Amino acid sequence: MLAVPLAVFAFAYGSAVVTGLTLQKRAVDFFDPAQGGGSIFDNATFGGEPLNVIISWQSSPDVLTDDGILNFARAIGFSQECLGLHLGDPQTANLGDGNGSVNQTVEFRQDFGNDFLGTCLESLVGGNHFRVFRQNGPQANSGALFLAVSKEQPASQNHDIVPDGYNIGRDELVAGAVGTKSFGGVTYNVVAKNITGLMPAGSDGVNHGIAVDGIVTLLTVTIQ
Ligand SMILES: *[C@@H]1O[C@H](CO)[C@@H](O)[C@H](O)[C@H]1NC(C)=O
Ligand SMILES: *[C@@H]1O[C@H](CO)[C@@H](O)[C@H](O)[C@H]1NC(C)=O
Ligand SMILES: *[C@@H]1O[C@H](CO)[C@@H](O)[C@H](O)[C@H]1NC(C)=O
Ligand SMILES: *[C@@H]1O[C@H](CO)[C@@H](O)[C@H](O)[C@H]1NC(C)=O
């Protein structure tokens, strides 16, 4: 979809180029979910988890595909859940793109250096993990990926989030991603930028009442 309504433009982030009443494709990083009736929090069991990392539409297109995000996740120390076992309930999010509430696309866990069994270790000992939601509905088809990142307790403690686990999870994921990373013959250059004003700070409505600092980190991932 090449044409995006001008109304959406005012709420888009990034350096957009307006040509008449249309936006040049790939000109923005993402669209603010709230402006399309969505939210920067997903829907979890005890409130919402913050969508605290966004992978920009201005990333290389291959990064934003299902296979692309899997390879990128591996490059930054994550892989798919332990032997395909799913230990938490899937969550839903409304990214304001006209699709309404949709299920997470995929979930990754920290793999502790072994992308086959490492995620099983994360399931047992706790660690970082993230869920991915794709903004690709007809009203805001950016293709950007919204990540709900959190650091968890071990399974023995029911996989609850550690205190401050949303901010810590985000910062650890970002620290492990910026710069140059490689996996499967693909080399990525990753740049991070913090955004405020998109997510309210505090614990209101947040899953388990864990406060967030209101920062969303935007990652632009370029394949070299
Ligand atoms: C989903 O989360 C949003 C934002 O936190 C909230 O407004 C909405 O009520 C939630 N929906 C459900 C069904 O829990
Ligand atoms: C979303 O996930 C739930 C729980 O796994 C499942 O029952 C439902 O069919 C899914 N919805 C879609 C549209 O895939
Ligand atoms: C959103 O809707 C489009 C159709 O407009 C569909 O192709 C896409 O798969 C949907 N996205 C999700 C995450 O379900
Ligand atoms: C983003 O904010 C976090 C939390 O304050 C900080 O640790 C991090 O260095 C910031 N990152 C950038 C790229 O500014």
Side-chain angles (χ1 to χ4, degrees), residues 29 32 92 106 126 128 147 152 179 188 201:
D29 292 308
D32 179 355
T92 57
V106 64
N128 216 353
L147 277 45
E152 290 184 320
Y188 304 95

Side-chain angles (χ1 to χ4, degrees), residues 39 41-42 46-50 199-212:
S39 174
F41 291 92
D42 74 6
F46 304 105
E49 295 203 325
M199 178 187 291
S203 60
D204 211 20
V206 184
N207 201 29
H208 300 293
I210 296 171
V212 297

Side-chain angles (χ1 to χ4, degrees), residues 86 89-92 101-104:
H86 186 83
D89 291 335
Q91 297 178 0
T92 57
S101 201
V102 296
N103 285 344
Q104 65 194 42

Side-chain angles (χ1 to χ4, degrees), residues 76-167:
I76 64 169
F78 291 79
S79 51
Q80 270 171 302
E81 295 199 81
C82 170
L83 305 173
L85 291 177
H86 186 83
L87 294 164
D89 291 335
Q91 297 178 0
T92 57
N94 180 349
L95 299 180
D97 59 5
N99 278 16
S101 201
V102 296
N103 285 344
Q104 65 194 42
T105 299
V106 64
E107 187 165 346
F108 296 101
R109 292 178 182 279
Q110 196 172 4
D111 68 14
F112 296 102
N114 178 332
D115 68 285
F116 183 62
L117 290 174
T119 50
C120 300
L121 188 60
E122 192 277 351
S123 295
L124 292 172
V125 305
N128 216 353
H129 91 298
F130 66 93
R131 304 163 190 274
V132 179
F133 299 92
R134 182 176 281 124
Q135 185 175 55
N136 67 347
Q139 311 303 319
N141 188 4
S142 72
L145 302 178
F146 286 63
L147 277 45
V149 190
S150 59
K151 186 151 183 173
E152 290 184 320
Q153 312 267 21
S156 59
Q157 300 181 39
N158 278 330
H159 271 260
D160 279 346
I161 309 303
V162 302
D164 203 28
Y166 294 119
N167 298 333

Side-chain angles (χ1 to χ4, degrees), residues 178-195:
V178 289
T180 303
K181 303 288 160 188
S182 300
F183 189 88
V186 184
T187 299
Y188 304 95
N189 182 259
V190 184
V191 176
K193 187 176 112 186
N194 282 349
I195 299 172

